[in-house]
């Protein structure tokens, strides 16, 4: 189907209803100048001695909703890499999954990603090749897609919160894959950064200003537990998708790896963000508020609600129901699972470094977990039969869970939950645990949209 922009505007409503997604429809738009991203080795000044890390030269990208953008990624690392645009409903060939949607970018080479986000909101980008090491070394950034009708905020801050595992010498612990961590909750860190800087992060605002805070958990394995003391703040969006009605913020925000929360706040008095998952609570950031009221700031219309994105509506009926059974790990009850198309006992799997399974399969299976036609409605019946929490992530799609669209969902141990997905974008899409230690040891599968 090849529509002009004009026709799209005319037939937009019908198309959305028919779950036709808009990416192909902007194809004739003028291109904007391309963005260059360099993946390279660098150092961070967190402690007395510099810490070697890997990072992108652009820690934050801002794209415009619905505008095609070329992003040229050049690899200056000593090994191949790719970039995945987490949560952005990109074309499949641009999804950045090494080995599934593209060959990795070799050292010294470049790759042009053509990215057009149909959604405005908070996303992030990160390496999706040897992720267990490359993400832990710092290869990630914030991706903000701004929409045309969003309310104006005087301050718009993205906080990439990361949990690094540093050795005594201040360097990143070089043991990225450790069997004990992998079969338990994953490698946990001991040093928190915000936007690749040592915390706490500091913000400054004038009284009465409207603030948008975008919280992004880039940790490889840690589920952050955030206590947000911003009096009167509201929860505006999850994983880039606005809540229908902004909600008050819970006492503790459970933010699994890869998950994002957008908060809206009118600054009246100082605000603080604490991380309380460890024994002591850590100050992540604080906002100082200059008490002189800025009287030019108009009141917020509709309690700061963000305009919704063009999501395909859920139909009343379900075309297929797919069990997504999470099994394995230490203290789990996994007996056997398929690995490389053969059945193995848990002991054999463990010997091959595979600890986790999804619906009886470990590692990337040959066959997808399910196939769906575009527009089909799929119910995923998630069942966490392990002794650990998992943050499941869907590529190219958001699922409807707890009355919200989400691309990442944290399931506590033993938790069962059904979520709904509308097969949109054609292609091969991953489903995996975003605790990278689990993903790397089996908790990964895929689905195909035809
Ligand atoms: Cu954030 Cu498969 O990735
Ligand atoms: Cu997991």
């Amino acid at each position: 189907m090849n529509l002009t922009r004009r026709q799209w505007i005319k037939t937009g409503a019908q198309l959305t209803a028919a779950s036709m997604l808009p990416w192909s429809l902007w194809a004739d738009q003028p291109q904007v100048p391309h963005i260059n991203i360099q993946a390279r080795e660098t150092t961070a000044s967190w402690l007395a001695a510099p810490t070697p890390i890997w990072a992108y030269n652009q820690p934050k990208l801002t794209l415009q909703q619905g505008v095609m953008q070329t992003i040229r990624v050049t690899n200056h690392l000593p090994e191949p890499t790719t970039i995945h645009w987490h949560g952005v409903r990109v074309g499949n060939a641009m999804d950045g999954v090494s080995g599934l949607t593209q060959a990795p970018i070799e050292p010294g080479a470049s790759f042009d990603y053509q990215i057009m986000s149909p959604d405005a909101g908070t996303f992030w980008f990160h390496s999706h090749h040897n992720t267990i090491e490359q993400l832990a070394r710092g290869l990630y950034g914030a991706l903000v897609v701004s929409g045309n009708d969003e309310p104006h905020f005087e301050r718009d801050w993205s906080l990439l919160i990361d949990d690094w595992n540093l050795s005594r010498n201040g360097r990143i612990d070089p043991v990225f894959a450790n069997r004990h961590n992998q079969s338990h909750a994953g490698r946990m860190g001991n040093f928190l950064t915000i936007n690749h800087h040592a915390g706490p992060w500091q913000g400054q605002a004038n009284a009465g200003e409207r603030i948008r805070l975008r919280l992004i958990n880039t940790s490889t394995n840690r589920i952050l537990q955030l206590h947000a003391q911003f009096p009167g703040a509201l929860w505006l969006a999850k994983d880039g998708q606005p809540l229908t009605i902004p909600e008050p913020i819970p006492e503790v925000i459970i933010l699994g790896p890869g998950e994002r929360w957008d908060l809206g706040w009118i600054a009246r008095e100082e605000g603080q963000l604490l991380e309380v998952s460890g024994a002591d609570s850590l100050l992540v950031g604080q906002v100082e508020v200059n008490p002189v009221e800025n009287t030019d700031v108009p009141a917020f219309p509709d309690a700061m609600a963000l305009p919704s994105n063009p999501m395909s509506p859920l139909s009343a009926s379900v075309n297929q129901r797919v069990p997504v059974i999470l099994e394995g790990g230490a203290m789990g009850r996994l007996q056997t699972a398929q690995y490389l198309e053969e059945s193995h006992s848990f002991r054999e799997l463990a010997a091959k470094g595979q600890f986790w399974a999804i619906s009886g399969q470990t590692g990337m299976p040959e066959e997808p977990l399910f196939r769906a036609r575009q527009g089909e409605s799929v119910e995923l019946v998630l069942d966490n039969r392990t002794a650990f929490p998992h943050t499941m992530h869907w590529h190219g799609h958001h699922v409807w869970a707890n009355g919200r669209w989400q691309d990442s969902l944290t399931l506590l141990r033993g938790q069962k939950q059904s979520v709904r997905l509308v097969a949109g974008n054609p292609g091969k899409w991953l489903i995996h645990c975003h605790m990278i230690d689990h993903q790397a040891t089996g908790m990964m599968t895929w689905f195909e949209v035809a």
Side-chain angles (χ1 to χ4, degrees):
M1 178 171 298
N2 216 338
L3 295 181
T4 65
R5 170 93 179 127
R6 197 90 160 268
Q7 283 170 305
W8 157 240
I9 291 165
K10 261 199 302 193
T11 54
Q14 283 157 260
L15 286 167
T16 315
S19 85
M20 178 60 210
L21 289 168
W23 33 82
S24 52
L25 307 176
W26 270 278
D28 355 318
Q29 279 196 351
Q31 300 248 323
V32 284
H34 75 252
I35 293 175
N36 278 301
I37 292 187
Q38 324 279 342
R40 79 248 194 285
E41 301 175 272
T42 178
T43 53
S45 326
W46 299 331
L47 302 162
T51 305
I53 65 169
W54 292 2
Y56 301 121
N57 64 321
Q58 308 235 30
K60 177 177 174 182
L61 294 181
T62 304
L63 305 183
Q64 204 55 41
Q65 180 181 21
V67 174
M68 184 61 81
Q69 174 71 57
T70 302
I71 304 178
R72 175 161 300 166
V73 177
T74 307
N75 181 6
H76 301 290
L77 303 169
E79 62 180 51
T81 196
T82 60
I83 293 187
H84 169 58
W85 315 92
H86 183 125
V88 182
R89 297 188 287 151
V90 295
N92 193 243
M94 299 296 138
D95 201 38
V97 180
S98 147
L100 183 72
T101 65
Q102 74 170 95
I105 312 164
E106 293 299 325
S110 301
F111 184 87
D112 284 356
Y113 289 94
Q114 307 282 345
I115 304 296
M116 197 285 282
S117 177
D119 305 315
T122 305
F123 304 93
W124 65 299
F125 59 103
H126 63 82
S127 156
H128 217 297
H129 177 87
N130 188 16
T131 318
I132 197 169
E133 182 172 335
Q134 294 194 2
L135 184 60
R137 286 191 186 276
L139 285 170
Y140 59 80
L143 177 53
V144 169
V145 181
S146 37
N148 303 322
D149 314 314
E150 287 183 303
H152 176 72
F153 292 83
E154 280 70 38
R155 316 269 166 182
D156 188 326
W157 289 313
S158 301
L159 269 56
L160 296 153
I161 310 173
D162 197 4
D163 174 47
W164 301 74
N165 191 11
L166 303 183
S167 310
R168 274 181 195 286
N169 59 9
R171 292 177 166 248
I172 299 172
D173 182 335
V175 183
F176 293 97
N178 159 307
R179 297 169 58 84
H180 181 271
N181 288 341
Q182 293 183 324
S183 56
H184 291 74
R187 165 179 150 129
M188 289 294 144
N190 48 18
F191 192 78
L192 205 70
T193 63
I194 296 92
N195 303 338
H196 292 86
H197 293 289
W201 168 88
Q202 303 274 354
Q204 306 254 334
N206 296 319
E209 283 183 337
R210 300 164 297 187
I211 315 242
R212 183 164 178 179
L213 260 183
R214 306 169 188 259
L215 307 177
I216 309 171
N217 183 358
T218 65
S219 307
T220 44
N221 296 285
R222 186 184 291 276
I223 298 177
L224 297 170
Q225 298 186 27
L226 299 171
H227 180 49
Q229 294 176 315
F230 298 105
L234 292 175
W235 180 17
L236 303 185
K238 170 82 190 357
D239 298 343
Q241 301 295 349
L243 271 52
T244 322
I245 300 167
E247 293 175 22
I249 293 163
E251 182 66 21
V252 175
I253 299 172
I254 307 283
L255 195 70
E259 291 189 281
R260 287 92 64 213
W261 278 50
D262 282 42
L263 309 183
W265 181 49
I266 300 181
R268 299 263 173 228
E269 53 192 287
E270 194 190 87
Q272 282 197 335
L273 186 67
L274 301 165
E275 209 286 318
V276 298
S277 70
D280 329 284
S281 67
L282 274 174
L283 182 63
V284 174
Q286 57 191 357
V287 179
E288 263 172 43
V289 180
N290 170 1
V292 183
E293 181 93 14
N294 178 349
T295 46
D296 298 340
V297 177
F300 247 116
D302 303 328
M304 312 190 217
L306 303 171
S308 58
N309 283 320
M311 303 301 285
S312 305
L314 288 176
S315 56
S317 59
V318 167
N319 299 89
Q320 49 175 321
R321 209 166 254 118
V322 180
V324 184
I325 302 165
L326 311 181
E327 287 178 298
M331 298 164 285
R333 292 162 304 182
L334 181 64
Q335 306 267 316
T336 56
Q338 294 278 122
Y339 177 55
L340 303 177
E341 320 315 310
E342 270 178 49
S343 179
H344 293 282
S345 69
F346 185 67
R347 182 188 288 269
E348 288 166 348
L349 292 170
K352 295 173 191 298
Q354 300 293 310
F355 300 111
W356 305 92
I358 299 180
S359 301
Q361 297 273 355
T362 176
M364 262 300 266
E366 196 69 34
E367 280 294 298
L369 180 67
F370 65 91
R371 288 196 165 86
R373 283 185 314 279
Q374 227 178 334
E376 256 189 62
S377 170
V378 182
E379 182 174 297
L380 300 166
V381 185
L382 301 164
D383 182 357
N384 179 3
R385 298 188 186 164
T386 78
F388 296 90
H390 302 282
T391 301
M392 300 307 292
H393 170 50
W394 289 263
H395 279 222
H397 294 73
H398 282 68
V399 300
W400 182 255
N402 309 323
R404 298 181 274 278
W405 290 109
Q406 325 199 28
D407 62 45
S408 312
L409 179 69
T410 300
L411 288 175
L412 302 178
R413 65 182 282 182
Q415 190 177 340
K416 292 189 176 60
Q417 186 168 0
S418 287
V419 305
R420 289 273 296 276
L421 173 150
V422 182
N425 216 344
K428 297 177 174 179
W429 304 103
L430 285 188
I431 303 176
H432 64 86
C433 180
H434 221 287
M435 284 144 184
I436 309 299
D437 277 4
H438 297 169
Q439 178 196 358
T441 55
M443 204 173 256
M444 172 157 70
T445 185
W446 59 290
F447 65 105
E448 186 161 25
V449 177

